[in-house]
Amino acid sequence: MRPLLLQGFRKPLAMDDLYPLADRYRCEQLADDFERRWTESLRKDSKEPPTVRGVLFAMFARQYLPVGLIKFVGDIGNALSPLALQALIAYVSQSAIPENAPPMWLGIVYAVVLFVLNSTASMCIAYYYQRATAYGITVRGLLTAVAYRKSLRLSGASRRIFNNGRITNIISSDLPRLEQLLMYFHLFWTYPLQIIVILGLLIHELGAIAALSGVFVLVLVAPLQARIVRGLVRLRARNASSTDKRVRWTAEVLAASRVVRFFAWEDAFEKTILAAREVEMKAVTSSNLLRSVVTASGFAIPVVAAAVSFTVYAAMSPTFDSVIIFAALASFNQLRNPVMLLPQMISTYADASVALRRVQELLDSTEQDFHPSIDANMIDNGLAVSVRNGSFVWDDPADLEKLPPNGDFLVSKETETIIGADPVEPSKPRLTLRDIELAIPSGALVAIVGSVGSGKSSLLSALVGELQPAAANASVSLASAPQYAPQQPWMLNATVRDNVLFNRPFNKTAYARCLAACALERDLSVLPGGDRAEIGERGINLSGGQKQRVSLARVAYGAALAIAGNERLSRLLVLLDDPLSALHLVPECDMVITLKDGAIAECGSYAELMAANAEFASLMRSHTGASDPTDNKMVERDAIGVSAGSTEVLLSSGAVAQYEDPDELLESESLSSVGDNEKNAKGRKEGRLIEAEERQTGQLKGSVFLALMVAMGGPWLLGLLAACLALTQAARIATDLWLTSWTENRYPQLWKNGYIATYIGLSVAQALLLYAFCFLVALSNVSAARRLHDGALSRVLRTPIWFFDTNPLGRILNRFSRDQDGIDNSLSESVRQFCIQISIAVGTFALVCYATSGWFLLGLAPLLGVYYFIQEIYRRTARELKRLDALTR
């Protein structure tokens, strides 16, 4: 890491500066291993289904569990350091009397032992967090890949439950909580052991009664902390569904930004999203307040516990020995982290449990498990497509029963059905296709015709495995994997060329022929950058016809590559779902299939069906208004092209080009612009649509902090926070100084009760001020979360429409999911910890400087300089890495 840190210190890091990931961190390999173990667990004859927890344990337990021993060594080092401090204080006290002064080497030994204990503890704990963080990031990346793969295989009913917003929220908000759990996991057993060791030391130093009286304070607040943890668990579970709903609404509104803008629906949808946000904010506010209690308790309870123990010790002991008192105070300070983090750890465990449950639900959701069988031997029997017992539904009735009755979906109060979904009787599913018996010969050009909603697109979807069979004996067999152009073209957010190639090797001649055959030459001439023009999300910058032609070119290119690779022409299967809407092609077809109400009404040649004067002939006459079906009026139909000894290429002009020799397709004249575009870097730049996300380098601008301060409540609230923090540290310093005065009996006129009352008063004041500060930070963070979200939403809904064309939806949505989650739940804790730790450091330095009459500054100044230099190296690198993480997310 040293070269990377130095590189980040010298200049802003770029992706090229980062090291390649080791194999043990690569998501693809880890996801493959996870899915293999998951599949093996499903195949075993076990009543228990596989769990995310179990598979992760099998993958990482052997490497991750031993790391906890390193943390245990560090915690024991911290717990034992008060013993070395006690010996050092005793040495200093004895050295004050020259007659009984111990040798100097003994003090050096004590100092070295204290240094070694603290250094060892720091290095062990730092190494533990480094390894735990690495495993946490690995698990997060692994589950992100698994969740993405699962989302591609979901059934129709599962997609209704796990919509894009919910899956985005699982990846961006839930998985980071699993990462955090792996950081805290070993603390569940190391911290209790550390508390036991510290308790033993306190009993040794103060006696059993005095020590246990302070511990009793810790035990007394345990039920309160347990109640807080249970509240956080409930809030997390409730907030997860609220966040899902808000993110889903936001995603849907942003995806339909053009429609929202055209109809001036910004205010209406903004109110809808803000209403969902208001429900979410109730849980966010409660969670922030409860977490503030946990943080304040971590700092305040050890102070109160020490005050109770010292009071009991002073009442029972004739002397108030400074050696014992300050060693015991150091032991009580060692309890700060366990007391503060144990509730937070339990809360993290609760959050991670909810996250695990949500990931488990995603992985347990039903998949599109019906797939057509590919049988190359069908060609020998003269068949390209075979459908038997073909009754199909879009959703399995068993899956529909899992849909929630309300909450995640809009439900009609009158019919108690999901709005926008077809009602399905659990016992008798509504068939989309019924009794389909189909045998299409190889080498045939087939047209599927029918009125709107007759099942034409559903039949093609069934052939590619998108529908579920209603009967167990239903089968779909294909001679080869089909080239499929859907009715609604799907566009990649990439260049035109990338959309046609579709991650396949580039063949210049075949590519040029496909563009020409699909009439894309004119489109490329008007697009900036030619075939290097970037297509926006969902093809936003293309017309409907242009998207259809790109989709056709993608299919044609796949067929051309197969021809170039000497693929048997009789095995090529092309499915075109309403790509041309040209009636005059129907007479050219070898077979015509007429669908009505999801069933095959007629099947035969064009002449046979016209002569029968039944459904097909009636349909043709009704659409053309004439008896001549070759009229150029349009009719809605879909086509299945099955190539055999000759190749039929469907052109947008409506002609049918015949190539008796397949090589003619590749040897025809090519597009000259293709080669030019390939060499022309300017064309690539001009065709760019999606802008690279802006990345700030260097230190954060002051305007960012100013905007945050304003959102938190403005100068008056910040002033109140600063006053609370200053008074808290003043009370802490006064408590330590008063304890010193008490041990030295500087005010003999005060009785013992006077010392005790003053010390307890200062301790309670410190605790109350700390609670007030933490509560104020929580409330200011809630204010900032509300204002930043509402302001961002309002601006995004009213931004110019080109903003959505040049910024991917995922990039925008990420600001309203993971980034907003960080503001809602993590920002306040970071602010509290930063302010408290900085104030403690400043107060401690001031106290030591006062005690040493300023001599401490001679050693402190150079150490602070070295520390600043080291943290600046780290901070610059870490800051840029965090920005790269946000950009690549």
Side-chain angles (χ1 to χ4, degrees):
M1 294 298 293
R2 180 174 175 270
L4 182 64
L5 287 169
L6 294 179
Q7 183 83 344
F9 177 70
R10 297 189 188 102
K11 70 177 186 68
L13 290 174
M15 290 300 299
D16 295 337
D17 297 322
L18 306 184
Y19 298 122
L21 283 175
D23 290 342
R24 64 180 182 274
Y25 298 132
R26 291 189 177 275
C27 290
E28 183 177 1
Q29 298 179 11
L30 291 169
D32 290 342
D33 187 20
F34 183 95
E35 291 186 336
R36 178 182 59 81
R37 294 172 184 268
W38 186 276
T39 304
E40 289 176 355
S41 299
L42 285 174
R43 291 174 180 171
K44 291 179 181 178
D45 296 332
S46 175
K47 296 182 180 179
E48 294 295 330
T51 63
V52 177
R53 184 184 289 106
V55 176
L56 291 178
F57 184 85
M59 292 179 63
F60 298 104
R62 184 175 300 178
Q63 298 83 17
Y64 175 71
L65 292 181
V67 177
L69 297 175
I70 304 297
K71 180 65 170 63
F72 177 69
V73 172
D75 289 343
I76 294 302
N78 277 332
L80 295 179
S81 60
L83 287 178
L85 179 63
Q86 182 179 1
L88 187 59
I89 294 175
Y91 169 82
V92 173
S93 299
Q94 294 172 7
S95 298
I97 305 175
E99 296 81 8
N100 298 325
M104 181 177 293
W105 64 265
L106 185 60
I108 295 175
V109 169
Y110 291 151
V112 170
V113 170
L114 181 61
F115 174 78
V116 169
L117 284 173
N118 288 330
S119 300
T120 302
S122 298
M123 288 188 290
C124 288
I125 293 174
Y127 179 75
Y128 162 76
Y129 279 114
Q130 188 268 337
R131 297 307 307 151
T133 302
Y135 283 112
I137 293 173
T138 302
V139 170
R140 188 186 74 181
L142 156 67
L143 292 180
T144 298
V146 171
Y148 173 73
R149 292 182 180 183
K150 180 70 176 185
S151 67
L152 300 179
R153 304 192 299 264
L154 292 176
S155 65
S158 296
R159 291 183 191 278
R160 300 188 196 182
I161 302 175
F162 295 95
N163 49 65
N164 291 340
R166 185 170 182 181
I167 293 177
T168 299
N169 202 34
I170 289 174
I171 292 175
S172 61
S173 300
D174 290 325
L175 295 187
R177 288 176 168 82
L178 291 178
E179 176 186 351
Q180 192 175 18
L181 175 65
L182 290 177
M183 293 176 57
Y184 288 151
F185 179 80
H186 285 294
L187 275 62
F188 281 98
W189 65 272
T190 61
Y191 270 170
L193 292 178
Q194 182 183 7
I195 291 174
I196 292 174
V197 173
I198 292 174
L199 179 59
L201 293 177
L202 287 174
I203 293 175
H204 170 72
E205 293 162 352
L206 299 177
I209 297 178
L212 292 176
S213 61
V215 174
F216 177 74
V217 176
L218 304 179
V219 175
L220 195 63
V221 299
L224 174 62
Q225 292 178 323
R227 190 182 185 93
I228 291 175
V229 169
R230 287 196 296 270
L232 288 173
V233 172
R234 290 193 298 269
L235 288 172
R236 172 59 191 156
R238 188 173 64 194
N239 196 31
S241 59
S242 301
T243 304
D244 284 346
K245 186 175 182 179
R246 174 184 61 84
V247 173
R248 177 170 62 87
W249 271 106
T250 304
E252 291 180 359
V253 172
L254 294 180
S257 55
R258 270 183 161 77
V259 177
V260 172
R261 190 64 52 82
F262 291 159
F263 288 94
W265 286 339
E266 296 93 338
D267 292 339
F269 280 110
E270 184 179 7
K271 291 179 181 178
T272 302
I273 297 175
L274 290 181
R277 174 64 173 170
E278 194 61 33
V279 176
E280 182 185 15
M281 283 304 299
K282 293 179 180 179
V284 169
T285 303
S286 301
S287 297
N288 273 273
L289 291 175
L290 291 178
R291 289 192 182 98
S292 68
V293 173
V294 171
T295 302
S297 299
F299 288 94
I301 290 177
V303 174
V304 176
V308 172
S309 289
F310 293 160
T311 299
V312 176
Y313 176 77
M316 298 180 61
S317 176
T319 60
F320 201 66
D321 191 353
S322 62
V323 175
I324 295 176
I325 292 301
F326 284 104
L329 183 61
S331 294
F332 275 111
N333 288 334
Q334 291 293 335
L335 289 174
R336 179 176 297 161
N337 281 338
V339 171
M340 178 178 62
L341 289 180
L342 274 176
Q344 185 174 337
M345 288 155 45
I346 298 174
S347 174
T348 300
Y349 176 78
D351 288 347
S353 297
V354 174
L356 273 174
R357 176 178 57 80
R358 285 159 60 83
V359 175
Q360 184 75 39
E361 290 174 352
L362 173 61
L363 298 186
D364 287 339
S365 59
T366 56
E367 299 182 5
Q368 191 73 26
D369 54 1
F370 175 74
H371 303 287
S373 62
I374 306 298
D375 184 5
N377 297 324
M378 291 176 59
I379 297 297
D380 299 333
N381 298 324
L383 290 179
V385 176
S386 175
V387 181
R388 294 289 178 265
N389 302 310
S391 295
F392 296 93
V393 293
W394 277 106
D395 295 314
D396 193 318
D399 295 339
L400 291 176
E401 292 177 359
K402 300 177 183 179
L403 293 177
N406 48 39
D408 285 345
F409 300 91
L410 298 178
V411 177
S412 171
K413 294 182 179 179
E414 292 77 15
T415 62
E416 292 296 327
T417 57
I418 301 172
I419 296 177
D422 294 332
V424 178
E425 299 178 12
S427 58
K428 187 178 180 181
R430 176 181 173 182
L431 296 179
T432 304
L433 297 173
R434 52 190 176 85
D435 303 327
I436 301 294
E437 297 289 339
L438 193 60
I440 298 178
S442 60
L445 179 63
V446 181
I448 304 175
V449 299
S451 59
V452 175
S454 60
K456 304 181 301 299
S457 296
S458 297
L459 178 56
L460 293 188
S461 297
L463 294 182
V464 295
E466 289 295 321
L467 269 66
Q468 293 283 355
N473 58 350
S475 67
V476 175
S477 300
L478 306 177
S480 65
Q483 303 288 336
Y484 177 48
Q487 188 176 36
Q488 295 181 344
W490 183 75
M491 296 289 106
L492 283 170
N493 179 205
T495 64
V496 174
R497 175 178 294 191
D498 292 334
N499 271 274
V500 173
L501 299 183
F502 217 58
N503 205 31
R504 293 172 292 205
F506 177 68
N507 184 309
K508 177 180 177 181
T509 305
Y511 176 71
R513 299 292 352 113
C514 292
L515 295 186
C518 296
L520 276 170
E521 292 173 291
R522 178 173 176 79
D523 296 321
L524 295 182
S525 66
V526 299
L527 288 174
D531 70 337
R532 296 293 190 180
E534 187 173 5
I535 298 177
E537 284 193 323
R538 304 175 305 282
I540 198 71
N541 58 328
L542 298 183
S543 67
Q546 288 174 328
K547 286 188 283 188
Q548 285 283 9
R549 290 190 284 275
V550 172
S551 180
L552 280 174
R554 181 187 301 159
V555 170
Y557 185 73
L561 284 186
I563 297 172
N566 296 321
E567 180 79 22
R568 290 178 60 187
L569 294 179
S570 57
R571 292 190 58 192
L572 292 181
L573 176 61
V574 179
L575 306 180
L576 305 177
D577 190 351
D578 197 19
L580 304 174
S581 294
L583 175 62
H584 53 261
L585 283 179
V586 179
E588 304 282 348
C589 295
D590 301 304
M591 178 185 292
V592 179
I593 300 172
T594 306
L595 290 181
K596 183 178 181 180
D597 297 330
I600 296 179
E602 292 179 286
C603 181
S605 67
Y606 172 80
E608 292 172 348
L609 297 187
M610 290 299 294
N613 197 26
E615 181 70 24
F616 174 72
S618 174
L619 183 65
M620 300 297 283
R621 285 192 293 269
S622 65
H623 277 274
T624 62
S627 60
D628 182 8
T630 61
D631 190 11
N632 286 330
K633 295 183 179 180
M634 300 176 66
V635 64
E636 183 176 352
R637 96 279 171 255
D638 299 76
I640 304 178
V642 185
S643 300
S646 63
T647 305
E648 285 91 358
V649 181
L650 301 181
L651 301 179
S652 60
S653 62
V656 180
Q658 298 284 343
Y659 295 90
E660 298 299 334
D661 184 354
D663 291 336
E664 292 184 24
L665 178 61
L666 304 176
E667 293 173 357
S668 302
E669 64 180 27
S670 62
L671 296 176
S672 60
S673 61
V674 174
D676 296 337
N677 284 337
E678 184 178 13
K679 300 176 182 178
N680 192 352
K682 182 178 179 181
R684 182 191 298 267
K685 183 176 181 181
E686 289 177 353
R688 186 171 185 174
L689 176 67
I690 301 298
E691 297 179 351
E693 189 169 2
E694 295 182 3
R695 174 193 169 191
Q696 183 182 350
T697 58
Q699 294 183 349
L700 285 175
K701 295 181 179 179
S703 58
V704 176
F705 292 103
L706 181 61
L708 177 61
M709 292 177 185
V710 172
M712 292 178 70
W716 70 270
L717 184 59
L718 295 178
L720 187 59
L721 287 173
C724 274
L725 193 61
L727 290 175
T728 301
Q729 292 309 309
R732 189 183 71 85
I733 293 174
T735 302
D736 292 341
L737 290 176
W738 186 256
L739 193 61
T740 303
S741 302
W742 189 0
T743 57
E744 296 176 355
N745 196 21
R746 290 182 183 176
Y747 308 104
Q749 67 274 17
L750 286 176
W751 292 89
K752 182 185 296 184
N753 292 340
Y755 281 111
I756 292 175
T758 304
Y759 182 73
I760 292 178
L762 290 173
S763 299
V764 172
Q766 178 183 345
L768 293 178
L769 288 169
L770 192 57
Y771 276 106
F773 171 77
C774 291
F775 271 111
L776 287 174
V777 170
L779 293 176
S780 61
N781 182 77
V782 170
S783 173
R786 188 188 302 274
R787 293 182 180 181
L788 292 176
H789 172 272
D790 295 354
L793 179 64
S794 178
R795 293 289 295 272
V796 166
L797 289 179
R798 292 165 179 81
T799 194
I801 202 67
W802 60 260
F803 176 81
F804 299 97
D805 295 342
T806 57
N807 289 276
L809 178 61
R811 180 188 300 173
I812 305 172
L813 192 60
N814 209 26
R815 301 295 173 266
F816 292 96
S817 55
R818 180 171 180 177
D819 291 345
Q820 188 62 49
D821 179 74
I823 297 174
D824 289 347
N825 300 299
S826 302
L827 181 62
S828 61
E829 187 63 26
S830 300
V831 170
R832 279 194 295 264
Q833 291 289 345
F834 173 79
C835 293
I836 292 174
Q837 297 294 351
I838 286 293
S839 63
I840 288 176
V842 171
T844 301
F845 290 157
L847 183 61
V848 176
C849 288
Y850 169 78
T852 58
S853 302
W855 288 102
F856 179 65
L857 288 175
L858 297 178
L860 179 63
L863 286 176
L864 287 178
V866 172
Y867 172 77
Y868 177 80
F869 178 72
I870 294 175
Q871 69 88 28
E872 186 67 13
I873 294 176
Y874 165 78
R875 192 164 62 92
R876 290 186 184 183
T877 305
R879 183 177 57 217
E880 299 306 319
L881 288 175
K882 193 69 175 176
R883 286 169 174 164
L884 288 176
D885 174 63
L887 287 175
T888 55
R889 193 189 313 149

